Amino acid sequence: MKKIITIVLFFLTIQSSAQSWPEKMAATVMTIWKDSMAMQPDRPVRWAYDQGVVLKGIEGLWKNTADKKYFDYIEKSMDHFVQDDGTIRTYKPDEYNIDHVSNGANLLLLYKVTLKEKYLKAIQLLRSQLKTHPRTSDGGFWHKNIYPYQMWLDGLYMGEPFYAEYAATFHEDTAFNDVARQFILMEKHARDAKTGLLYHGYDESRQQKWADKKSGLSPHVWARAMGWYGMALVDALEWFPADHPKRDSLIAILNRFATAITKYQDAKTGAWWDIVDLGGKEKNYLEASASSMIVYALAKGVRLGYLPDKFIAPAQKGYNGLIKQFIKTEDGQVNLYGTVSVSGLGGNPYRDGSYEYYMTEKVVVNDPKGVGAFLKAGNEMEMLPTLKQGKGKTVMLDCFFNHELKKDVTGTTVQHHYVWDQMDLNGYSLFGFVWNKHGAKTKDLADAPTEKNLTGSDVYIIVDPDTQKETASPNFFQPQHIDAIYNWVNDGGVLLLFGNDSGNVELNHFNQLVKKFGMQFNIDSRNKVTGNQYNMGTFSIPQNHQIFKTAKKIYIKEYSSQTISKPASAAFKDGNLIVMSIAKIGKGTVFAVGDPWFYNEYFDGRKLPASLENYKAGEDLVKWAIKQIPLKK
């Protein structure tokens, strides 16, 4: 009983107070670095990975809240460097510094959301560096041109998450082999067989003073280097194809990493020591950035299914320790203490990798590497209370009846319009993220629905079936499709039907399905909105609504109203008009609304005023839909 109470109290703490820590830290970020990230007042601002780590943390906040100020901050920060022709101020490709590739992940976000050509050109510029970046004899990227024949753990975060996301975005499938090779080589060369920990750096030439003449390894296990490596693994794995032959190898490396690093977690504080395996030694100290990175890697690894649930406990302990050990509220501002400003190997003045060297580097307040890692860790930990709601559930998005195609920038034919991986205005990427942060897996169903391929899906979403003006040969609902869907619902499936106004959706065949549940989309278009007069499309949600528990005002424009009969009932009405309906069919449930509604344009916070709470409405609908899934015996 005591253990159960402790867990409940932990989650209550997360929900009531710890969830706000990333937002508080983001407020500090946007106060002290309003326009750009000047690390030292007497030096000009330069293109640096520090800023990219912070912006990845801000990206997580944007996805968790749909607050446009976070996206705007990312864009403003990157626009300080990225010129209209795609060149990047202060970036010099011929330096071959792997650190300078890292911010490409921020540019990929901006390109996929805005589709601005300058971001694409800047992304391609960074990709071109990797094509000629110098390598070790077995194919590992050098850390920098000035550090020949050397691989550092840090470099895996700097290069591989961007490299993997680039490969996924631009269909460069063979690049995944190269991404995997970097992790495999780093573990092969740097891992201590006894402890499972990885040393900071490896010198293939054995010429560096810090390098062991036999192994080529630096003398110590530096915590932030371990943190970089863990974050790199979970961030790169997120983009790997499920069937890639090296994916399992990377998951195995991540599990070995997690097993090793958690053994060295400080039992009292939950944090990690700067030199990991020398905890308690004179001058050694608990370090904030590494602890944040490790918490992030463990929590994300569990959330995405790469790590078993047992690693949540050390992540929880680590996050609590971060807040207790390193967070201070001073003059109304949240500050992060305890981050070492830098630790490296070689260079001028020379860093010999000794214990004494690591202990001489300055420990500072609000270092961006620590702040960014804390934001990333906090975003993951915020999701813990919601992840259990949909754990083990699968949400299938129809890509058969809605099957609009186009050629992307590479010339590859891809599906677009209301699909999970589309981040521009017409995509469902943020809606998909809401499902994911409530624990559900999102998948596509490219084929016609059958009882066989619907099996295993808990929620099935059908959005805006194609008209002939959208698709030359649209897939219309046929009796066998309708029977398969009906039987699946009757057996306990949750069906979400998102239509459109009559001029933009194929209703004749769609209604043949919808009528099976006592519903019908009318041939009309309601809530027409002129320009940005958003009040014309605004609805107020009544108190104690059966679905929308937190959203108070929502926005739906140009929707098809409904006519219903039993077993359907109205879920939301505008006067006498039925806007949404629900029906119970056997063990299953159906929800219908005459609009795609939750696509990014009206969901990601960048267009609608903050008073219109479509993001909250999406979270409410997700929670409600999950609760409709019958308990399995």
Side-chain angles (χ1 to χ4, degrees):
M1 179 62 72
K2 183 177 179 180
K3 183 178 180 181
I4 294 173
I5 291 173
T6 301
I7 293 172
V8 170
L9 287 175
F10 171 80
F11 279 112
L12 288 175
T13 302
I14 289 289
Q15 288 176 308
S16 62
S17 60
Q19 280 193 325
S20 64
W21 286 119
E23 293 177 273
K24 290 177 182 178
M25 183 57 70
T28 298
V29 167
M30 292 188 279
T31 297
I32 63 178
W33 299 308
K34 291 181 180 178
D35 300 311
S36 56
M37 194 163 284
M39 292 305 301
Q40 299 181 27
D42 58 337
R43 292 187 180 182
V45 176
R46 59 191 176 88
W47 180 255
Y49 69 89
D50 311 64
Q51 186 172 35
V53 181
V54 172
L55 297 183
K56 290 303 288 184
I58 298 292
E59 176 188 335
L61 263 176
W62 173 58
K63 290 179 177 178
N64 268 324
T65 64
D67 189 330
K68 74 183 296 290
K69 71 184 177 188
Y70 297 126
F71 184 88
D72 290 347
Y73 182 77
I74 297 169
E75 188 167 32
K76 182 180 181 181
S77 299
M78 287 290 97
D79 281 351
H80 185 83
F81 296 97
V82 180
Q83 308 301 292
D84 289 341
D85 63 356
T87 55
I88 301 172
R89 291 180 56 243
T90 77
Y91 167 66
K92 299 177 181 178
D94 58 0
E95 288 182 342
Y96 287 114
N97 184 340
I98 200 78
D99 290 346
H100 293 164
V101 175
S102 176
N103 292 359
N106 307 116
L107 298 181
L108 280 163
L109 170 75
L110 292 175
Y111 173 65
K112 289 191 280 190
V113 171
T114 69
L115 301 180
K116 290 182 181 179
E117 188 177 12
K118 70 174 185 177
Y119 298 131
L120 174 62
K121 290 180 177 179
I123 289 163
Q124 291 170 334
L125 178 61
L126 295 175
R127 173 67 184 97
S128 68
Q129 176 184 323
L130 293 180
K131 291 181 179 179
T132 55
H133 197 95
R135 297 173 182 252
T136 62
S137 62
D138 51 6
F141 289 129
W142 290 6
H143 193 65
K144 298 179 184 180
N145 202 40
I146 61 172
Y147 298 143
Y149 308 104
Q150 298 170 42
M151 294 181 73
W152 298 7
L153 292 185
D154 321 26
L156 276 294
Y157 181 83
M158 304 307 162
E160 307 323 308
F162 164 73
Y163 197 4
E165 185 174 357
Y166 184 96
T169 303
F170 300 108
H171 320 293
E172 197 174 318
D173 295 343
T174 56
F176 288 111
N177 296 322
D178 198 19
V179 174
R181 172 166 49 182
Q182 305 306 312
F183 288 104
I184 292 168
L185 287 175
M186 195 74 248
E187 189 195 44
K188 174 185 174 182
H189 292 304
R191 186 172 184 264
D192 184 327
K194 293 181 180 179
T195 66
L197 300 171
L198 282 74
Y199 291 97
H200 187 174
Y202 163 69
D203 174 20
E204 181 184 41
S205 70
R206 276 72 167 174
Q207 296 301 307
Q208 291 299 311
K209 295 177 184 177
W210 53 258
D212 180 88
K213 297 305 179 184
K214 184 177 181 181
S215 67
L217 293 173
S218 60
H220 290 289
V221 177
W222 180 45
R224 190 157 72 216
M226 287 289 290
W228 287 127
Y229 190 70
M231 288 206 305
L233 277 164
V234 294
D235 286 356
L237 267 167
E238 190 171 11
W239 299 102
F240 259 69
D243 59 351
H244 192 277
K246 295 295 184 182
R247 182 174 180 270
D248 288 345
S249 297
L250 296 191
I251 292 173
I253 291 173
L254 177 61
N255 275 266
R256 288 192 288 271
F257 162 88
T259 298
I261 200 65
T262 52
K263 289 180 181 178
Y264 289 89
Q265 184 175 24
D266 183 61
K268 182 178 179 181
T269 65
W272 279 265
W273 295 84
D274 187 58
I275 300 300
V276 176
D277 53 345
L278 296 179
K281 184 174 180 177
E282 185 180 1
K283 295 185 180 181
N284 203 2
Y285 56 90
L286 299 168
E287 206 278 337
S289 67
S291 299
S292 297
M293 291 175 180
I294 294 164
V295 166
Y296 171 79
L298 296 175
K300 185 172 180 178
V302 173
R303 176 171 66 86
L304 296 182
Y306 310 137
L307 293 174
D309 288 350
K310 69 179 182 180
F311 288 109
I312 281 295
Q316 291 172 346
K317 185 174 182 177
Y319 190 56
N320 287 344
L322 282 169
I323 295 167
K324 185 175 181 180
Q325 291 286 127
F326 303 117
I327 292 291
K328 293 184 181 180
T329 302
E330 301 166 315
D331 299 323
Q333 176 176 292
V334 166
N335 298 313
L336 181 74
Y337 281 71
T339 297
V340 61
S341 59
V342 66
S343 292
L345 298 166
N348 186 22
Y350 197 82
R351 299 166 294 185
D352 64 4
S354 66
Y355 179 80
E356 290 72 22
Y357 157 68
Y358 284 105
M359 294 302 106
T360 62
E361 291 288 7
K362 292 180 180 179
V363 179
V364 298
V365 180
N366 291 338
D367 182 276
K369 298 177 287 295
V371 167
F374 178 79
L375 286 169
K376 285 164 71 87
N379 291 331
E380 284 296 328
M381 297 305 291
E382 264 193 16
M383 289 189 273
L384 281 180
T386 59
L387 284 174
K388 287 189 175 182
Q389 296 174 14
K391 184 177 181 180
K393 308 302 181 188
T394 300
V395 181
M396 192 78 78
L397 179 65
D398 163 65
C399 291
F400 180 75
F401 303 109
N402 169 40
H403 191 70
E404 296 181 58
L405 302 176
K406 70 172 185 179
K407 290 187 181 296
D408 68 8
V409 69
T410 70
T412 304
T413 299
V414 296
Q415 185 165 346
H416 73 112
H417 219 191
Y418 315 130
V419 293
W420 294 135
D421 62 358
Q422 185 178 356
M423 296 189 73
D424 65 24
L425 294 177
N426 293 311
Y428 257 7
S429 61
L430 209 59
F431 188 34
F433 175 81
V434 171
W435 285 104
N436 296 154
K437 81 173 186 176
H438 286 83
K441 293 183 179 180
T442 48
K443 294 185 177 182
D444 302 321
L445 184 58
D447 299 322
T450 65
E451 292 189 39
K452 182 178 180 179
N453 62 25
L454 288 175
T455 299
S457 299
D458 300 284
V459 179
Y460 181 38
I461 304 175
I462 301 175
V463 186
D464 187 37
D466 295 341
T467 64
Q468 287 184 314
K469 71 177 183 180
E470 295 168 326
T471 303
S473 301
N475 297 313
F476 295 138
F477 287 89
Q478 302 298 328
Q480 66 271 25
H481 306 147
I482 295 170
D483 289 344
I485 295 169
Y486 183 89
N487 292 336
W488 172 80
V489 172
N490 192 62
D491 287 341
V494 178
L495 177 65
L496 305 184
L497 302 170
F498 289 79
N500 211 332
D501 62 308
S502 58
N504 290 294
V505 62
E506 196 289 312
L507 286 181
N508 290 332
H509 294 83
F510 193 20
N511 269 334
Q512 291 177 27
L513 168 69
V514 175
K515 287 178 181 178
K516 291 280 286 187
F517 310 113
M519 305 161 173
Q520 178 177 310
F521 291 119
N522 297 325
I523 309 297
D524 59 6
S525 182
R526 303 288 182 173
N527 267 29
K528 289 186 178 293
V529 174
T530 303
N532 292 334
Q533 297 182 51
Y534 298 117
N535 61 298
M536 298 173 68
T538 299
F539 290 122
S540 295
I541 302 292
Q543 288 187 344
N544 301 316
H545 192 273
Q546 61 179 317
I547 297 175
F548 305 107
K549 303 296 186 183
T550 66
K552 304 303 180 186
K553 284 189 175 181
I554 61 174
Y555 180 81
I556 305 178
K557 71 164 192 173
E558 299 171 10
Y559 70 92
S560 294
S561 63
Q562 296 179 46
T563 300
I564 63 172
S565 59
K566 290 183 178 182
S569 61
F572 184 78
K573 296 178 71 174
D574 177 24
N576 292 323
L577 292 174
I578 297 173
V579 182
M580 306 175 203
S581 63
I582 58 176
K584 288 290 186 179
I585 306 293
K587 298 178 183 178
T589 307
V590 182
F591 168 87
V593 60
D595 191 74
W597 199 14
F598 292 139
Y599 55 104
N600 293 335
E601 184 174 3
Y602 300 112
F603 197 66
D604 70 10
R606 295 190 302 124
K607 183 169 183 175
L608 294 184
S611 60
L612 298 178
E613 299 176 315
N614 279 17
Y615 187 88
K616 283 187 176 181
E619 290 185 303
D620 288 339
L621 181 64
V622 165
K623 292 174 186 176
W624 174 85
I626 289 171
K627 288 181 180 178
Q628 308 313 304
I629 300 170
L631 295 174
K632 295 180 180 178
K633 295 182 179 181

